[in-house]
Amino acid sequence: MAKALSESDLSRFQRDGFLFPVPAIGAIEAAALYRRLADHEAEHGPLPQKMRQKVHLLFTGFADLVRNEAILEAVEDVIGPDILVWGTNLFIKDPRDPAFVSWHQDSTYWGLEPPDLVTAWVALSDVPVESGAMKFIPGSHTRGQLAHHDTFDENNLLTRGQSLDMDESRAVPAPLTRGEMSLHDVRLAHASSANETGERRVGIAIRCIPPHVRQTEGRTSATLVRGRDDFGHFDPEPRPTADMTPDAVAAHEAAMSERFANLYADAETRPV
Ligand SMILES: O=C(O)CCC(=O)C(=O)O
C-alpha cells in the first residue's frame, strides 16, 4: 500500500519516469534552508562546485532534509522501505546565469547496478519554467543506457558536460513552487536551461537507492536514512553536528575523493 503517492501517481511515475509536483517540505522550511545557504555564502563566498555535492555531510539543515519524513514516504513508495542517500547536489542558478544542464541520463557515469535510483529534487526557491526548471522526456527511462558525449562546457553544471541529442518538442517542463519536489528515474533523459529571471533559482537533488544496489567499481559511501541495510555495499557516512566543522569537512573530502575516483575513472580530464 502506497504511503504518500496515490496509485495513479505511481502508475504515472512508472510510465513517464517522473512525477511532479509532489508536496515535500513546504514553503517556510524551504525558505529557511535557502536563507541559511545565502547567509553562509554571504560570509564565506559562493560554495565551490565540489562543496555543492554531498552537502548533507556539511550542513545540518541538509542532513535533516535527507531524513525528512514527507520526502522519504514518497521515495519509499518508489524504491521500498530501506533507503540510502547516495548523494546530494545543490543546483544553483543565479539571476540571468548562463549555467545550464545538457540532456542526460543520471545513470551514465555513476556505476550503480542495478540502476534502481530515484532523485527527489526539492525546490528551495520558486522554480518557474523561465528560471531553468528541469524538463523531462516522458518514457525515456525505458530506453536503456544511451551513449553520451562529454563536452566539459564551462556553463554546463554536469561534471563531464555529458550530453544526449533529444527532441526538445517532446520535453515536459517541471516548474515547482518553493518546498515542492519532483521525482525522476535514474535512466530518464532530462535537462535544464539557463535562468532568464532576476531571481536566484536553487534546488537540491537527493539521490536515493535501496541497499541492494552496488557500486560496480571502487567503493563509495552513502547514508542510511530509513529502514536497514543488510548488504553493506557502501561505507556509512557521519552526520554533521554543526555546519562545516573541521570533522565534517574532512569526512566530506574523503567521501568526495572516493566519488570522483569512481566518476572520472575513464575521463580525459576532471574539474579541480
Ligand atoms: O537542477 C537542474 O537544473 C538539473 C538537475 C539534474 O540534472 C538532476 O537532478 O539530475
PDB file of all heavy atoms in Angstrom, residues 185 189 194:
ATOM      1  N   ASP A 185      13.488   9.121 -12.413  1.00  0.00           N
ATOM      2  CA  ASP A 185      14.209   7.848 -12.500  1.00  0.00           C
ATOM      3  C   ASP A 185      15.627   8.096 -13.018  1.00  0.00           C
ATOM      4  O   ASP A 185      15.854   8.982 -13.840  1.00  0.00           O
ATOM      5  CB  ASP A 185      13.436   6.941 -13.477  1.00  0.00           C
ATOM      6  CG  ASP A 185      14.016   5.560 -13.593  1.00  0.00           C
ATOM      7  OD1 ASP A 185      14.981   5.355 -14.370  1.00  0.00           O
ATOM      8  OD2 ASP A 185      13.501   4.668 -12.904  1.00  0.00           O
ATOM      9  N   ALA A 189      15.860  10.742 -19.460  1.00  0.00           N
ATOM     10  CA  ALA A 189      16.557  11.854 -20.117  1.00  0.00           C
ATOM     11  C   ALA A 189      15.955  13.170 -19.614  1.00  0.00           C
ATOM     12  O   ALA A 189      14.741  13.367 -19.664  1.00  0.00           O
ATOM     13  CB  ALA A 189      16.417  11.753 -21.632  1.00  0.00           C
ATOM     14  N   ALA A 194      19.120  27.883 -19.084  1.00  0.00           N
ATOM     15  CA  ALA A 194      19.651  28.986 -18.273  1.00  0.00           C
ATOM     16  C   ALA A 194      18.515  29.700 -17.527  1.00  0.00           C
ATOM     17  O   ALA A 194      17.346  29.604 -17.914  1.00  0.00           O
ATOM     18  CB  ALA A 194      20.375  29.962 -19.181  1.00  0.00           C
TER      19      ALA A 194
END
